[in-house]
Amino acid sequence: MMKFIASDLDAAKAKAHRALGDKTVIISVRNLPSGDVEVTASDKAAPAAPEPAPKAQFAGAARDAVDEGPFKMGAGARLNENIETKFSADALSKLSSKLTGGKGGRSLDMSDATVRAMAEILAPHGVGEPLLAALIEGARNSPIDEDLYRLETGFREVFTFAPLHLAPTAPVMLVGPTGAGKTSTGAKLAASAQESGAQATMITADVGRAGAIDQIKAYGEALGADYFIAESPLDVEQILRSHRPGGAVIFDTPGVSPYDAGDVAALRSYREAADAEPVLVLPASGDADEYVDWAMAFKEIGVRRCILTKFDATKRVGAGLRAAYEAGLGLAHFSETAFISEGLLPASPEFLARRLIASRPGKFG
């Protein structure tokens, strides 16, 4: 079942039909204190209470069979070890001339064993020269002369770590490119809120993407969270005014171009209607230059923090980190699993240090 709020009954029914199609069945109609009308509808002839989310038995069995730690990466057949090692050597070689006093860069002594060890770990991830140099400089403050502690210190010195604190007075609006994982991130935030004892309300404006409505419907029913479809900023205002959420409010937006004036104007309108903090969602790996452009552009519309996703789907995780660094964004959360119930990890330098050490080319096994 899904709920739709509008200024009158016909408009609410129309929203339900647009979202659910020809099989729409109106379950109930409620007049709200605000004067709006709330319609509960379903696309099933005999709606029933949502079944609990099925257990991922196959994945669970697979996980039970793995006795390695969360940051330990299996070596497999090691068929790609030579390629990975060569990639690491090539990346370091290209950087060496630039970091030893080359044009426009910060001079780093690559003959220094500590500097070289840090560069060997960081360079293959594609963090970019400015971030690489900053992390190496930050690592000099490590109280322990060991790779893991140096990395941890470097990340702590360079980044701001600022996890989200969800509350009804602080709605979160997720923005970013298509495919970054905004909708699943919203569901994970909702699950995290409910796990802490708070209620969660999910709103989506991503009504044009194929399967988007079914996706939020499935998440909402599995979590037992309220979820709404918003076709305009006015819808968002009506939902928040009439529903009056008492817990976390997570607002999912469609993937848009930050270079399109119309898209930017629409995002601004949605943000104002929800009075929400826009938070950028980016995959950990991808086109680093493109990610930097995205982060810079979204910063102009109020983004101050980001969530990096898909740590489980990639080995090199420098693109998202580079974008956050160059745009001056704080790191809020990391996602390293596809399981909604496991939520998001609060961003921390400890996680990043262990993650980069675990995926060090040629050093796993």
Side-chain angles (χ1 to χ4, degrees):
M1 291 185 290
M2 302 180 73
K3 296 178 181 179
F4 303 87
I5 293 177
S7 57
D8 57 57
L9 178 59
D10 289 339
K13 287 182 176 180
K15 285 184 181 180
H17 281 284
R18 284 196 294 273
L20 300 176
D22 295 336
K23 295 182 179 180
T24 301
V25 177
I26 304 299
I27 305 301
S28 66
V29 175
R30 185 163 69 101
N31 293 317
L32 301 172
S34 62
D36 297 319
V37 177
E38 179 186 272
V39 165
T40 301
S42 174
D43 57 358
K44 298 179 181 179
E51 297 180 359
K55 294 183 178 179
Q57 296 178 342
F58 178 81
R63 289 189 169 202
D64 291 340
V66 177
D67 58 0
E68 297 176 331
F71 301 104
K72 185 75 172 177
M73 299 185 69
R78 303 179 68 93
L79 295 178
N80 64 340
E81 181 174 1
N82 291 335
I83 297 175
E84 295 287 1
T85 304
K86 183 178 185 302
F87 182 93
S88 177
D90 289 347
L92 186 61
S93 175
K94 291 177 182 178
L95 282 167
S96 292
S97 60
K98 298 179 181 179
L99 296 176
T100 52
K103 292 183 179 180
R106 185 183 307 180
S107 178
L108 292 175
D109 182 6
M110 296 301 288
S111 65
D112 184 303
T114 298
V115 172
R116 189 168 186 84
M118 288 285 290
E120 285 178 347
I121 297 170
L122 291 165
H125 285 274
V127 296
E129 295 168 40
L131 177 54
L132 174 62
L135 288 171
I136 291 176
E137 288 300 314
R140 295 184 187 279
N141 295 320
S142 174
I144 300 175
D145 188 22
E146 195 275 329
D147 286 348
L148 180 63
Y149 291 98
R150 284 195 295 262
L151 274 177
E152 185 179 321
T153 302
F155 282 119
R156 182 176 287 107
E157 294 280 329
V158 170
F159 285 101
T160 297
F161 296 87
L164 297 170
H165 297 286
L166 301 170
T169 55
V172 171
M173 185 174 89
L174 303 177
V175 301
T178 299
K182 295 186 297 298
T183 303
S184 59
T185 295
K188 291 178 181 182
L189 287 172
S192 178
Q194 293 193 319
E195 190 173 298
S196 66
Q199 290 297 311
T201 297
M202 302 167 65
I203 304 171
T204 183
D206 192 9
V207 297
R209 179 171 58 87
I213 292 175
D214 289 337
Q215 190 176 14
I216 193 172
K217 176 182 175 183
Y219 287 152
E221 291 183 352
L223 294 171
D226 289 325
Y227 54 100
F228 297 89
I229 308 298
E231 297 180 340
S232 70
L234 178 60
D235 286 347
V236 176
E237 290 180 351
Q238 288 177 328
I239 290 166
L240 295 177
R241 182 178 66 247
S242 302
H243 181 60
R244 296 179 184 176
V249 179
I250 300 109
F251 180 22
D252 179 30
T253 65
V256 299
S257 169
Y259 314 115
D260 185 290
D263 285 353
V264 172
L267 278 185
R268 288 185 187 274
S269 296
Y270 275 117
R271 185 194 66 192
E272 292 169 2
D275 191 21
E277 177 191 355
V279 176
L280 179 61
V281 179
L282 281 177
S285 179
D287 186 322
D289 290 331
E290 187 73 19
Y291 283 5
V292 170
D293 289 345
W294 276 78
M296 292 292 193
F298 275 111
K299 185 176 181 180
E300 293 299 315
I301 62 172
V303 168
R304 295 294 176 267
R305 291 188 277 187
C306 67
I307 296 173
L308 300 184
T309 63
K310 305 186 179 181
F311 274 88
D312 57 320
T314 183
K315 175 173 284 189
R316 299 180 184 88
V317 297
L321 292 172
R322 177 186 160 194
Y325 173 73
E326 295 194 21
L329 302 182
L331 300 175
H333 294 274
F334 302 138
S335 173
E336 63 163 353
T337 174
F339 291 85
I340 299 301
S341 61
E342 296 184 11
L344 298 171
L345 299 172
S348 71
E350 294 86 356
F351 172 86
L352 288 177
R354 291 180 181 278
R355 179 61 174 78
L356 268 70
I357 287 287
S359 56
R360 186 176 182 179
K363 297 294 183 182
F364 49 87

